[in-house]
Amino acid sequence: MERIITFLEEYAAFFEQVEQKQEEKLATLTKGELSAVEQTIVMQQALDKQIQNMEQRRIQLFLEEGFDGKTFKELLELAQNEAYYSQLEALYQRIEHSVTSVKFINQKCVKLAQTALAGMGVTNFPTNAPKKSQAKGYEAYRAGTGSILQTKI
């Protein structure tokens, strides 16, 4: 369990940094300066790759530690009788807060971009969001599967 906690501390700190970068992205998009927006796009692409790499590490660790298929809440339940419970609970709260904030900020960024495009006469907005029936959603989070930004913690 110590390896899991050590990794989740890094994971929580990582998503806190992601949250900060998303706030910076929103501020940049609000200013609307084209060169800054272009830099933000490059930053977002790099960040997406970092998130993907972090997820792969999490999936592998959970598998190695025998927690494949467990939700974070199930992990907390398993640790209730151990000294690790309070640490895991605090990490859960940190991660949940950061991920929720990232999702909210991203929604604001999308709306801001759509408003800017509408102002330029673009009204047909492409979307790559999954249809409701295809989305894994926050209900389906399983330790070791999917992206934390697309799944429940």
XYZ file of all heavy atoms in Angstrom, residues 30-121:
736
model
N -9.226 34.176 -22.467
C -10.031 35.368 -22.174
C -9.417 36.606 -22.818
O -10.142 37.474 -23.314
C -10.151 35.571 -20.646
O -10.725 34.387 -20.080
C -11.019 36.744 -20.309
N -8.099 36.681 -22.842
C -7.427 37.821 -23.467
C -7.588 37.806 -24.986
O -7.631 38.856 -25.612
C -5.937 37.816 -23.112
C -5.667 38.093 -21.652
C -4.193 37.992 -21.352
C -3.941 38.096 -19.859
N -2.547 37.806 -19.516
N -7.620 36.619 -25.575
C -7.858 36.487 -27.006
C -6.695 36.859 -27.905
O -6.879 37.061 -29.098
N -5.485 36.925 -27.370
C -4.315 37.235 -28.185
C -3.895 35.979 -28.951
O -3.596 34.943 -28.351
C -3.171 37.719 -27.303
C -3.503 38.997 -26.554
C -2.455 39.351 -25.501
O -1.400 38.674 -25.431
O -2.710 40.303 -24.757
N -3.888 36.070 -30.273
C -3.678 34.905 -31.120
C -2.381 34.165 -30.809
O -2.381 32.939 -30.695
C -3.711 35.303 -32.597
C -3.647 34.155 -33.588
C -4.779 33.168 -33.356
C -3.672 34.680 -35.006
N -1.264 34.868 -30.649
C 0.006 34.181 -30.398
C -0.037 33.442 -29.059
O 0.484 32.326 -28.937
C 1.170 35.156 -30.425
O 1.043 36.123 -29.395
N -0.667 34.028 -28.066
C -0.784 33.378 -26.761
C -1.713 32.165 -26.842
O -1.463 31.143 -26.205
C -1.285 34.375 -25.712
N -2.762 32.283 -27.625
C -3.682 31.158 -27.806
C -2.961 30.002 -28.487
O -3.126 28.837 -28.110
C -4.943 31.591 -28.594
C -5.780 30.383 -28.985
C -5.775 32.579 -27.781
N -2.136 30.308 -29.479
C -1.369 29.269 -30.160
C -0.430 28.560 -29.187
O -0.297 27.339 -29.215
C -0.580 29.859 -31.318
C -1.458 30.282 -32.492
C -0.707 31.044 -33.569
O 0.432 31.523 -33.313
O -1.255 31.162 -34.675
N 0.220 29.317 -28.313
C 1.103 28.719 -27.302
C 0.302 27.837 -26.341
O 0.769 26.781 -25.915
C 1.846 29.803 -26.528
C 2.891 30.517 -27.327
C 3.524 31.679 -26.562
O 3.083 32.036 -25.474
N 4.558 32.259 -27.148
N -0.910 28.267 -26.042
C -1.776 27.497 -25.153
C -2.149 26.166 -25.783
O -2.216 25.141 -25.097
C -3.046 28.307 -24.816
O -2.654 29.502 -24.156
C -3.976 27.537 -23.926
N -2.366 26.166 -27.073
C -2.701 24.922 -27.776
C -1.541 23.938 -27.683
O -1.733 22.752 -27.383
C -3.079 25.208 -29.247
C -4.417 25.956 -29.301
C -3.146 23.913 -30.054
C -4.762 26.520 -30.662
N -0.330 24.426 -27.895
C 0.858 23.579 -27.804
C 1.009 23.054 -26.372
O 1.289 21.863 -26.153
C 2.118 24.347 -28.258
C 3.384 23.559 -27.964
C 2.017 24.681 -29.736
N 0.803 23.937 -25.393
C 0.890 23.543 -23.989
C -0.143 22.465 -23.681
O 0.147 21.481 -23.008
C 0.683 24.753 -23.080
C 0.760 24.473 -21.585
S -0.768 23.978 -20.718
C -1.887 25.282 -21.100
N -1.355 22.610 -24.203
C -2.411 21.639 -23.938
C -2.078 20.279 -24.549
O -2.329 19.250 -23.933
C -3.756 22.138 -24.474
C -4.918 21.230 -24.129
C -5.173 21.131 -22.639
O -5.265 22.148 -21.962
N -5.291 19.926 -22.121
N -1.495 20.288 -25.727
C -1.104 19.024 -26.349
C -0.058 18.295 -25.512
O -0.133 17.083 -25.317
C -0.598 19.266 -27.767
C -1.702 19.687 -28.726
C -1.170 20.143 -30.071
O -0.029 20.573 -30.201
N -2.024 20.060 -31.089
N 0.917 19.036 -24.999
C 1.942 18.440 -24.148
C 1.329 17.936 -22.840
O 1.668 16.843 -22.357
C 3.043 19.462 -23.855
N 0.425 18.703 -22.293
C -0.246 18.323 -21.058
C -1.083 17.061 -21.243
O -1.086 16.173 -20.388
C -1.121 19.480 -20.569
C -1.675 19.394 -19.168
C -0.568 19.260 -18.138
C -2.512 20.639 -18.876
N -1.756 16.960 -22.379
C -2.540 15.757 -22.675
C -1.645 14.517 -22.683
O -2.031 13.456 -22.178
C -3.260 15.889 -24.012
C -4.404 16.887 -23.981
O -4.837 17.302 -22.882
O -4.872 17.267 -25.082
N -0.462 14.643 -23.245
C 0.482 13.525 -23.289
C 0.963 13.175 -21.877
O 1.075 11.991 -21.527
C 1.669 13.874 -24.195
C 2.609 12.726 -24.417
C 1.939 11.591 -25.148
C 2.929 10.494 -25.447
N 2.308 9.286 -25.932
N 1.216 14.184 -21.056
C 1.644 13.935 -19.679
C 0.545 13.222 -18.891
O 0.829 12.317 -18.102
C 2.008 15.248 -18.988
C 3.266 15.882 -19.499
C 3.499 17.268 -18.905
O 2.583 17.909 -18.389
N 4.737 17.736 -18.959
N -0.698 13.633 -19.105
C -1.822 12.988 -18.429
C -1.913 11.531 -18.852
O -2.094 10.634 -18.017
C -3.143 13.740 -18.714
C -3.131 15.100 -18.011
C -4.348 12.914 -18.285
C -4.264 16.029 -18.425
N -1.763 11.289 -20.135
C -1.803 9.917 -20.651
C -0.696 9.066 -20.017
O -0.942 7.927 -19.597
C -1.666 9.934 -22.170
C -1.765 8.584 -22.813
C -1.602 8.661 -24.329
O -1.023 9.607 -24.870
N -2.116 7.667 -25.017
N 0.512 9.614 -19.929
C 1.626 8.887 -19.321
C 1.375 8.608 -17.838
O 1.676 7.509 -17.341
C 2.934 9.656 -19.493
C 3.415 9.675 -20.923
O 3.038 8.841 -21.739
N 4.239 10.659 -21.254
N 0.829 9.586 -17.131
C 0.534 9.406 -15.712
C -0.521 8.309 -15.525
O -0.416 7.476 -14.623
C 0.056 10.723 -15.103
C -0.172 10.668 -13.604
S 1.296 10.339 -12.619
C 2.084 11.938 -12.624
N -1.507 8.294 -16.380
C -2.550 7.269 -16.318
C -1.976 5.875 -16.559
O -2.355 4.916 -15.891
C -3.652 7.552 -17.337
C -4.664 8.537 -16.846
C -5.310 8.106 -15.538
O -6.000 7.064 -15.504
O -5.121 8.802 -14.540
N -1.064 5.767 -17.507
C -0.444 4.471 -17.775
C 0.338 3.989 -16.559
O 0.301 2.803 -16.222
C 0.454 4.555 -19.010
C -0.312 4.714 -20.306
C -1.291 3.575 -20.535
O -0.981 2.411 -20.338
N -2.501 3.930 -20.932
N 1.021 4.902 -15.893
C 1.754 4.545 -14.680
C 0.801 4.083 -13.589
O 1.069 3.105 -12.889
C 2.582 5.729 -14.192
C 3.786 6.035 -15.051
C 4.588 7.208 -14.531
N 4.973 7.028 -13.144
C 5.203 8.037 -12.306
N 5.102 9.287 -12.716
N 5.542 7.809 -11.053
N -0.319 4.789 -13.435
C -1.309 4.429 -12.418
C -1.890 3.046 -12.706
O -1.976 2.192 -11.820
C -2.432 5.461 -12.360
C -3.502 5.127 -11.311
C -4.679 6.079 -11.385
N -5.393 6.006 -12.644
C -6.308 5.067 -12.943
N -6.613 4.124 -12.077
N -6.914 5.082 -14.108
N -2.257 2.813 -13.946
C -2.835 1.528 -14.339
C -1.861 0.399 -14.027
O -2.235 -0.618 -13.432
C -3.215 1.548 -15.832
C -4.414 2.472 -16.051
C -3.494 0.143 -16.350
C -4.674 2.813 -17.511
N -0.614 0.578 -14.394
C 0.395 -0.453 -14.174
C 0.620 -0.703 -12.678
O 0.691 -1.851 -12.240
C 1.721 -0.059 -14.855
C 2.793 -1.114 -14.773
C 2.410 -2.411 -15.457
O 1.757 -2.408 -16.490
N 2.792 -3.531 -14.879
N 0.711 0.347 -11.897
C 0.938 0.195 -10.457
C -0.233 -0.512 -9.789
O -0.036 -1.427 -8.980
C 1.182 1.558 -9.799
C 1.373 1.519 -8.284
C 2.606 0.699 -7.913
C 1.475 2.932 -7.736
N -1.449 -0.100 -10.103
C -2.611 -0.745 -9.503
C -2.649 -2.231 -9.868
O -2.998 -3.069 -9.040
C -3.896 -0.033 -9.922
C -4.254 1.138 -9.052
C -3.344 2.139 -8.770
C -5.522 1.249 -8.517
C -3.679 3.225 -7.960
C -5.874 2.329 -7.710
C -4.945 3.315 -7.432
N -2.290 -2.545 -11.076
C -2.243 -3.939 -11.518
C -1.186 -4.706 -10.715
O -1.458 -5.783 -10.175
C -1.943 -3.999 -13.016
C -1.878 -5.374 -13.649
C -3.230 -6.067 -13.585
C -1.424 -5.251 -15.102
N 0.011 -4.130 -10.618
C 1.112 -4.776 -9.890
C 0.783 -4.978 -8.418
O 1.203 -5.965 -7.814
C 2.387 -3.938 -10.016
C 3.011 -3.950 -11.383
C 4.150 -2.944 -11.514
O 4.540 -2.308 -10.504
O 4.662 -2.794 -12.641
N 0.053 -4.047 -7.826
C -0.250 -4.113 -6.395
C -1.521 -4.904 -6.087
O -1.948 -4.992 -4.938
C -0.367 -2.691 -5.819
C 0.942 -1.926 -5.820
C 1.992 -2.535 -4.892
O 1.664 -2.889 -3.746
O 3.159 -2.644 -5.325
N -2.136 -5.468 -7.117
C -3.304 -6.311 -6.902
C -4.607 -5.551 -6.740
O -5.582 -6.084 -6.201
N -4.665 -4.308 -7.211
C -5.877 -3.503 -7.096
C -6.546 -3.260 -8.447
O -7.351 -2.344 -8.592
C -5.572 -2.161 -6.425
C -5.124 -2.312 -4.995
C -3.822 -2.018 -4.633
C -6.000 -2.774 -4.026
C -3.399 -2.165 -3.322
C -5.586 -2.929 -2.713
C -4.279 -2.622 -2.356
N -6.218 -4.082 -9.424
C -6.828 -3.967 -10.739
C -8.335 -4.162 -10.609
O -8.801 -5.107 -9.982
C -6.239 -5.017 -11.681
C -6.711 -4.853 -13.107
O -6.906 -3.699 -13.531
O -6.880 -5.882 -13.791
N -9.099 -3.222 -11.168
C -10.552 -3.315 -11.119
C -11.178 -2.715 -9.875
O -12.393 -2.751 -9.725
N -10.393 -2.185 -8.976
C -10.926 -1.565 -7.750
C -11.108 -0.071 -7.970
O -10.291 0.585 -8.608
C -9.968 -1.767 -6.571
C -9.710 -3.199 -6.210
C -10.891 -3.797 -5.500
C -10.550 -5.206 -5.027
N -11.718 -6.011 -4.825
N -12.186 0.466 -7.431
C -12.366 1.921 -7.458
C -11.548 2.523 -6.329
O -11.115 1.824 -5.397
C -13.843 2.301 -7.260
O -14.244 1.915 -5.942
C -14.744 1.672 -8.309
N -11.372 3.819 -6.388
C -10.650 4.493 -5.321
C -11.420 4.325 -4.011
O -10.836 4.114 -2.952
C -10.488 5.969 -5.665
C -9.327 6.656 -4.970
C -8.542 7.546 -5.660
C -9.035 6.438 -3.642
C -7.483 8.200 -5.033
C -7.991 7.071 -3.004
C -7.208 7.959 -3.711
N -12.739 4.404 -4.067
C -13.548 4.216 -2.849
C -13.377 2.807 -2.296
O -13.323 2.616 -1.085
C -15.012 4.535 -3.125
C -15.251 6.016 -3.258
C -16.707 6.351 -3.181
C -16.839 7.851 -3.293
N -17.912 8.389 -2.519
N -13.291 1.813 -3.173
C -13.051 0.444 -2.714
C -11.672 0.327 -2.076
O -11.495 -0.386 -1.083
C -13.194 -0.546 -3.873
C -14.616 -0.733 -4.339
C -14.732 -1.519 -5.632
O -13.784 -1.490 -6.453
O -15.780 -2.151 -5.824
N -10.712 1.042 -2.629
C -9.374 1.071 -2.051
C -9.433 1.666 -0.643
O -8.814 1.152 0.283
C -8.442 1.892 -2.950
C -6.957 1.854 -2.680
C -6.402 0.442 -2.821
C -6.234 2.792 -3.628
N -10.219 2.726 -0.468
C -10.408 3.326 0.856
C -11.044 2.325 1.824
O -10.636 2.231 2.987
C -11.288 4.575 0.765
C -10.615 5.854 0.294
C -11.647 6.935 0.026
C -9.601 6.329 1.313
N -12.043 1.598 1.358
C -12.718 0.611 2.204
C -11.750 -0.487 2.643
O -11.778 -0.927 3.787
C -13.906 0.001 1.474
C -15.052 0.964 1.296
C -16.148 0.438 0.374
O -16.101 -0.758 -0.012
O -17.042 1.238 0.044
N -10.896 -0.910 1.727
C -9.919 -1.943 2.060
C -8.908 -1.458 3.095
O -8.375 -2.249 3.863
C -9.170 -2.395 0.797
C -9.987 -3.167 -0.230
C -9.180 -3.357 -1.504
C -10.426 -4.509 0.337
N -8.656 -0.158 3.109
C -7.647 0.403 3.998
C -8.227 0.916 5.314
O -7.491 1.431 6.146
C -6.914 1.546 3.290
N -9.525 0.782 5.532
C -10.143 1.331 6.749
C -9.534 0.774 8.021
O -9.472 1.475 9.022
C -11.650 1.104 6.744
C -12.380 2.112 5.910
C -13.881 1.975 6.040
O -14.394 1.037 6.619
N -14.590 2.938 5.482
N -9.105 -0.438 7.998
C -8.513 -1.044 9.190
C -7.005 -0.868 9.249
O -6.359 -1.423 10.110
C -8.865 -2.534 9.254
C -10.352 -2.751 9.394
O -11.048 -1.933 9.997
N -10.844 -3.834 8.840
N -6.489 -0.096 8.333
C -5.044 0.100 8.277
C -4.688 1.548 8.585
O -5.537 2.431 8.567
C -4.519 -0.260 6.874
C -4.761 -1.699 6.496
C -4.236 -2.035 5.125
O -3.253 -1.411 4.683
O -4.814 -2.928 4.485
N -3.440 1.773 8.831
C -2.951 3.121 9.122
C -2.984 4.015 7.893
O -2.829 5.220 7.995
C -1.522 3.044 9.665
N -3.227 3.431 6.728
C -3.176 4.173 5.480
C -4.470 4.917 5.157
O -4.490 5.742 4.266
C -2.868 3.224 4.318
C -1.599 2.441 4.496
C -1.636 1.063 4.653
C -0.364 3.082 4.512
C -0.467 0.337 4.814
C 0.803 2.364 4.670
C 0.748 0.995 4.826
O 1.899 0.284 4.984
N -5.529 4.635 5.859
C -6.841 5.182 5.510
C -6.843 6.708 5.458
O -7.306 7.290 4.478
C -7.923 4.697 6.470
C -9.281 5.251 6.124
C -10.022 4.697 5.097
C -9.797 6.350 6.798
C -11.262 5.206 4.742
C -11.034 6.866 6.458
C -11.756 6.295 5.435
O -12.972 6.808 5.085
N -6.329 7.365 6.480
C -6.377 8.837 6.502
C -5.549 9.441 5.374
O -5.934 10.448 4.794
C -5.937 9.382 7.860
O -4.607 9.010 8.138
N -4.434 8.810 5.050
C -3.616 9.293 3.943
C -4.365 9.146 2.617
O -4.382 10.071 1.804
C -2.295 8.527 3.864
C -1.337 8.834 4.992
C -0.130 7.931 4.913
O -0.230 6.720 5.120
N 1.015 8.519 4.609
N -4.972 7.987 2.416
C -5.722 7.756 1.181
C -6.922 8.686 1.068
O -7.213 9.206 -0.007
C -6.185 6.298 1.099
C -5.119 5.277 0.743
C -5.655 3.861 0.927
C -4.623 5.489 -0.673
N -7.601 8.908 2.178
C -8.766 9.786 2.157
C -8.368 11.217 1.795
O -9.035 11.869 0.984
C -9.472 9.758 3.508
C -10.766 10.543 3.520
C -11.488 10.428 4.842
O -10.831 10.464 5.901
O -12.720 10.313 4.811
N -7.277 11.703 2.352
C -6.790 13.051 2.030
C -6.387 13.143 0.554
O -6.680 14.142 -0.111
C -5.610 13.413 2.930
N -5.732 12.125 0.054
C -5.338 12.111 -1.359
C -6.561 12.065 -2.262
O -6.608 12.743 -3.288
C -4.416 10.917 -1.635
C -3.017 11.038 -1.034
C -2.297 9.700 -1.074
C -2.223 12.115 -1.747
N -7.547 11.284 -1.878
C -8.796 11.216 -2.642
C -9.426 12.601 -2.746
O -9.843 13.024 -3.829
C -9.762 10.235 -1.968
C -11.115 10.181 -2.624
C -11.339 9.355 -3.717
C -12.174 10.951 -2.156
C -12.583 9.295 -4.330
C -13.420 10.898 -2.758
C -13.619 10.075 -3.839
O -14.839 10.032 -4.443
N -9.477 13.316 -1.640
C -10.067 14.652 -1.634
C -9.285 15.608 -2.528
O -9.872 16.401 -3.273
C -10.138 15.205 -0.199
C -11.059 14.422 0.718
C -12.494 14.404 0.237
O -12.991 15.381 -0.289
N -13.150 13.274 0.411
N -7.969 15.556 -2.463
C -7.142 16.422 -3.308
C -7.369 16.141 -4.785
O -7.553 17.065 -5.587
C -5.655 16.228 -2.991
C -5.204 16.879 -1.711
C -3.754 16.559 -1.393
N -2.836 17.006 -2.444
C -1.567 16.606 -2.515
N -1.069 15.756 -1.637
N -0.799 17.059 -3.491
N -7.341 14.868 -5.143
C -7.509 14.490 -6.546
C -8.903 14.850 -7.029
O -9.064 15.423 -8.113
C -7.200 12.992 -6.745
C -5.713 12.725 -6.480
C -7.597 12.530 -8.145
C -5.353 11.254 -6.345
N -9.907 14.541 -6.236
C -11.285 14.846 -6.624
C -11.470 16.351 -6.838
O -12.079 16.776 -7.821
C -12.260 14.345 -5.564
C -13.705 14.611 -5.943
C -14.673 14.091 -4.909
O -14.455 14.317 -3.705
O -15.660 13.458 -5.320
N -10.903 17.163 -5.954
C -11.016 18.617 -6.085
C -10.355 19.099 -7.373
O -10.937 19.880 -8.132
C -10.393 19.318 -4.879
C -10.400 20.801 -5.000
N -9.368 21.502 -5.574
C -11.330 21.723 -4.643
C -9.655 22.791 -5.577
N -10.840 22.958 -5.018
N -9.151 18.643 -7.634
C -8.424 19.085 -8.826
C -9.116 18.651 -10.110
O -9.262 19.444 -11.041
C -6.990 18.556 -8.811
O -6.244 19.178 -7.790
N -9.556 17.418 -10.163
C -10.206 16.915 -11.372
C -11.521 17.649 -11.620
O -11.825 18.025 -12.752
C -10.412 15.384 -11.291
C -11.310 14.882 -12.407
C -9.061 14.678 -11.344
N -12.284 17.882 -10.566
C -13.543 18.622 -10.701
C -13.269 20.031 -11.210
O -13.980 20.530 -12.090
C -14.295 18.659 -9.357
O -14.570 17.314 -8.959
C -15.597 19.431 -9.465
N -12.249 20.677 -10.681
C -11.888 22.028 -11.125
C -11.438 22.040 -12.578
O -11.823 22.927 -13.340
C -10.776 22.604 -10.241
O -11.240 22.822 -8.938
N -10.637 21.061 -12.965
C -10.169 20.970 -14.352
C -11.352 20.819 -15.297
O -11.427 21.491 -16.335
C -9.152 19.812 -14.527
C -8.906 19.499 -15.995
C -7.844 20.151 -13.824
N -12.282 19.965 -14.948
C -13.465 19.778 -15.792
C -14.256 21.080 -15.917
O -14.683 21.451 -17.011
C -14.365 18.679 -15.217
C -13.847 17.286 -15.458
C -14.814 16.257 -14.950
C -16.070 16.337 -15.768
N -17.038 15.311 -15.541
N -14.445 21.774 -14.813
C -15.199 23.032 -14.821
C -14.495 24.080 -15.676
O -15.117 24.748 -16.506
C -15.392 23.544 -13.393
C -16.106 24.849 -13.315
C -17.479 24.922 -13.524
C -15.419 26.023 -13.028
C -18.154 26.133 -13.458
C -16.084 27.236 -12.959
C -17.450 27.288 -13.172
N -13.198 24.222 -15.501
C -12.433 25.195 -16.274
C -12.480 24.844 -17.757
O -12.640 25.725 -18.607
C -10.975 25.276 -15.761
C -10.950 25.872 -14.349
C -10.107 26.104 -16.706
C -9.617 25.696 -13.629
N -12.346 23.574 -18.072
C -12.410 23.159 -19.477
C -13.761 23.491 -20.099
O -13.829 23.901 -21.252
C -12.094 21.674 -19.624
C -10.611 21.396 -19.575
O -9.782 22.260 -19.847
N -10.261 20.181 -19.210
N -14.831 23.310 -19.349
C -16.163 23.669 -19.855
C -16.231 25.170 -20.144
O -16.788 25.592 -21.155
C -17.249 23.271 -18.853
C -17.463 21.788 -18.761
C -18.385 21.393 -17.612
O -18.700 22.188 -16.738
N -18.812 20.138 -17.617
N -15.653 25.970 -19.249
C -15.630 27.417 -19.473
C -14.814 27.765 -20.714
O -15.198 28.645 -21.489
C -15.074 28.144 -18.240
C -16.031 28.135 -17.055
C -15.400 28.742 -15.824
C -15.388 30.249 -15.932
N -14.973 30.905 -14.680
N -13.701 27.083 -20.917
C -12.854 27.329 -22.089
C -13.602 26.988 -23.377
O -13.517 27.736 -24.358
C -11.559 26.505 -22.005
S -10.385 27.108 -20.770
N -14.317 25.888 -23.377
C -15.074 25.490 -24.564
C -16.144 26.528 -24.870
O -16.312 26.955 -26.017
C -15.692 24.082 -24.383
C -16.729 23.787 -25.458
C -14.602 23.018 -24.392
N -16.866 26.964 -23.863
C -17.910 27.972 -24.078
C -17.302 29.280 -24.578
O -17.865 29.926 -25.460
C -18.705 28.204 -22.792
C -19.630 27.065 -22.480
C -20.430 27.312 -21.220
C -21.316 26.102 -20.949
N -22.080 26.226 -19.733
N -16.165 29.654 -24.022
C -15.490 30.875 -24.459
C -15.075 30.762 -25.925
O -15.282 31.692 -26.713
C -14.269 31.138 -23.571
C -13.484 32.408 -23.810
C -14.354 33.635 -23.542
C -12.268 32.429 -22.900
N -14.523 29.618 -26.296
C -14.109 29.404 -27.687
C -15.311 29.401 -28.621
O -15.269 29.978 -29.712
C -13.332 28.097 -27.804
N -16.395 28.769 -28.212
C -17.600 28.742 -29.036
C -18.170 30.144 -29.224
O -18.605 30.498 -30.319
C -18.654 27.812 -28.417
C -18.311 26.361 -28.568
C -19.298 25.445 -27.857
O -20.000 25.846 -26.931
N -19.334 24.191 -28.282
N -18.152 30.940 -28.171
C -18.636 32.319 -28.273
C -17.775 33.118 -29.243
O -18.289 33.874 -30.073
C -18.645 32.988 -26.880
O -19.498 32.234 -26.015
C -19.118 34.421 -26.951
N -16.453 32.936 -29.155
C -15.542 33.641 -30.062
C -15.778 33.205 -31.507
O -15.799 34.037 -32.423
C -14.097 33.394 -29.652
N -15.962 31.915 -31.713
C -16.215 31.418 -33.069
C -17.560 31.914 -33.594
O -17.674 32.267 -34.770
C -16.177 29.882 -33.091
C -14.790 29.255 -32.940
C -14.896 27.749 -32.734
C -13.906 29.575 -34.135
N -18.552 31.940 -32.740
C -19.868 32.438 -33.150
C -19.772 33.903 -33.561
O -20.430 34.341 -34.510
C -20.886 32.265 -32.025
N -18.928 34.649 -32.871
C -18.711 36.056 -33.211
C -18.074 36.222 -34.576
O -18.199 37.267 -35.215
N -17.395 35.161 -35.038
C -16.779 35.194 -36.361
C -17.688 34.561 -37.410
O -17.288 34.377 -38.547
C -15.433 34.462 -36.333
C -14.383 35.172 -35.504
S -12.756 34.383 -35.602
C -12.998 32.948 -34.582
N -18.880 34.173 -37.003
C -19.835 33.609 -37.944
C -19.834 32.099 -38.033
O -20.569 31.519 -38.822
